[in-house]
Amino acid sequence: MITSKVRRVPVAYLPTPLVEMERLSQELGGPRLFVKRDDQTGLATGGNKARKLEYLIAEALDEGADTVLTVGAAQSNHSRQTAAAAAMYGLRCILILQGSGPADWSGNLLLDDLLGAQVHWAGDNPLHESMMEVAVEEESAGRHPYLIPVGGSNPTGALGYVAAMEELAGQLKERDLHADAIVFASSSGGTQAGMIVGAEALGFDGRVAGISVARTKSGLREILQELVPQTAEILGLDLSFDETDFVVYDDYVGEGYGVMGAPEREAIRLVARIEGILVDPVYTGRAMAGLLDLIRSGAFGSGETVIFWHTGGIPALFAYGEGLIKAIP
Ligand SMILES: *Cc1c(COP(=O)(O)O)cnc(C)c1O
């Protein structure tokens, strides 16, 4: 294993299933479609951060930390999964969240509370700065905080998706499948960076195509250009990357991060009805809307095989329920 030299602790339920979506493929008259179910990683309703947290929590424990700090939006899936992983390992967890606290503790916020995390509202202050302030307070109270950046997207976290690519490559080989593309929601870049490193190291020749949920193509690529080589370096891999390795679609950002529009609604309702699979309003619904559009506009041939990598986000459905229900024609 490429990743075996770095310590990880068990957090996620692995391997996640790789499942064919025959009905969706038929509906679209499109390519052969599979879904990689990282919404089923466990960790208080699953998601992609579980894989990153295997390496991040290991590092926290190695450093002798007793408290984990991280940042996010109010409905951050990353924060909820961090709270769950901290609970599994007996660590305190403080979440520094954007805004001043909603009236409604639903979705991920409810779970953060149940999982025993303390929530610190950052108002409009930059999240990283607020986290540094909380870290100083914690240290002066005699504690040992371990800081995780937004989305768990540093080179340590990205290792989770290098390992995930090894897992997928094994599943493809076992079933004698070839994937022409992997499509998924990309935001803080750790997932995509790990996949890119894994793909290059394993000689995976499909496209690793991130659907940006917030940033412009150039903004996300800048992050990847930094994170990808740093991640390869931890593993001692001597790889070279070029522009063609950083595939980003930024056409589906709509009204911006976390603003659900008609394309997300359509994608959520279609995939639920046709496949019995839930995707979320912020990430996977947007990525699925992007995939539907790419298929409809002929970006993938009907003879191709495409994997939708489901990154989770299910609790946010409950925070956006009203907008979804009202969309019933
Ligand atoms: C965090 C998240 C992503 C994006 O992953 P990054 O590594 O931040 O790019 C995608 N989907 C869901 C559901 C997430 O919570």
Side-chain angles (χ1 to χ4, degrees):
M1 293 252 297
I2 320 167
T3 44
S4 50
K5 63 185 280 190
V6 185
R7 190 169 97 89
R8 69 203 264 189
V9 293
V11 169
Y13 298 158
L14 303 175
T16 57
L18 178 67
V19 183
E20 185 153 15
M21 295 192 287
E22 251 174 277
R23 286 170 49 76
L24 183 60
S25 175
Q26 230 168 45
E27 166 84 10
L28 299 166
R32 194 173 179 195
L33 293 173
F34 287 81
V35 56
K36 176 72 171 152
R37 297 292 305 264
D38 276 14
D39 57 320
Q40 305 288 321
T41 54
L43 211 56
T45 75
N48 61 339
K49 306 312 180 303
R51 291 186 187 270
K52 301 179 182 183
L53 284 160
E54 298 213 322
Y55 292 93
L56 294 164
I57 296 290
E59 193 170 80
L61 295 171
D62 285 346
E63 290 179 11
D66 52 22
T67 304
V68 175
L69 269 53
T70 197
V71 298
Q75 280 299 328
S76 163
N77 299 299
H78 163 66
S79 296
R80 178 254 310 162
Q81 288 168 87
T82 302
M88 284 174 79
Y89 284 92
L91 300 165
R92 295 168 71 249
C93 179
I94 306 178
L95 304 175
I96 292 93
L97 304 181
Q98 221 158 39
S100 52
D104 179 15
W105 282 71
S106 70
N108 281 300
L109 265 179
L110 168 64
L111 303 187
D112 294 343
D113 190 63
L114 297 179
L115 293 163
Q118 254 183 64
V119 174
H120 174 99
W121 293 104
D124 298 327
N125 299 321
L127 287 173
H128 193 76
E129 272 174 38
S130 299
M131 178 161 68
M132 298 303 282
E133 284 166 22
V134 174
V136 169
E137 286 166 22
E138 287 294 304
E139 273 164 2
S140 54
R143 300 196 184 99
H144 302 287
Y146 175 79
L147 277 59
I148 302 180
V150 67
S153 286
N154 58 18
T156 302
L159 294 175
Y161 272 85
V162 182
M165 281 299 286
E166 291 191 283
E167 180 182 302
L168 177 70
Q171 288 174 318
L172 292 174
K173 191 165 170 227
E174 208 170 89
R175 291 159 67 172
D176 201 18
L177 292 169
H178 174 268
D180 297 289
I182 298 171
V183 176
F184 56 97
S186 194
S187 180
S188 62
T191 300
Q192 187 160 5
M195 284 182 188
I196 291 170
V197 172
E200 191 69 27
L202 296 163
F204 177 82
D205 62 2
R207 280 160 283 167
V208 174
I211 307 275
S212 177
V213 303
R215 292 172 212 274
T216 60
K217 186 185 291 196
S218 64
L220 187 47
R221 277 184 161 179
E222 241 172 70
I223 294 176
L224 295 172
Q225 272 154 358
E226 206 170 302
L227 207 44
V228 163
Q230 289 172 346
T231 305
E233 198 187 323
I234 298 186
L235 297 170
L237 296 169
D238 184 21
L239 303 171
S240 59
F241 301 92
D242 61 51
E243 279 291 292
T244 60
D245 295 315
F246 304 116
V247 183
V248 173
Y249 291 93
D250 65 359
D251 315 282
Y252 306 105
V253 174
E255 306 269 311
Y257 177 83
V259 184
M260 182 175 64
E264 290 84 23
R265 253 182 230 120
E266 190 228 337
I268 291 168
R269 299 189 63 89
L270 177 69
V271 176
R273 211 173 59 235
I274 280 198
E275 289 286 351
I277 291 173
L278 301 174
V279 292
D280 83 282
V282 181
Y283 296 94
T284 50
R286 184 160 284 178
M288 180 56 79
L291 176 60
L292 295 178
D293 181 68
L294 288 168
I295 291 172
R296 286 168 180 154
S297 60
F300 300 110
S302 58
E304 289 195 295
T305 298
V306 178
I307 297 173
F308 178 74
W309 203 310
H310 194 324
T311 48
I314 302 315
L317 275 174
F318 301 100
Y320 285 76
E322 218 166 302
L324 285 162
I325 289 288
K326 280 187 182 144
I328 293 176

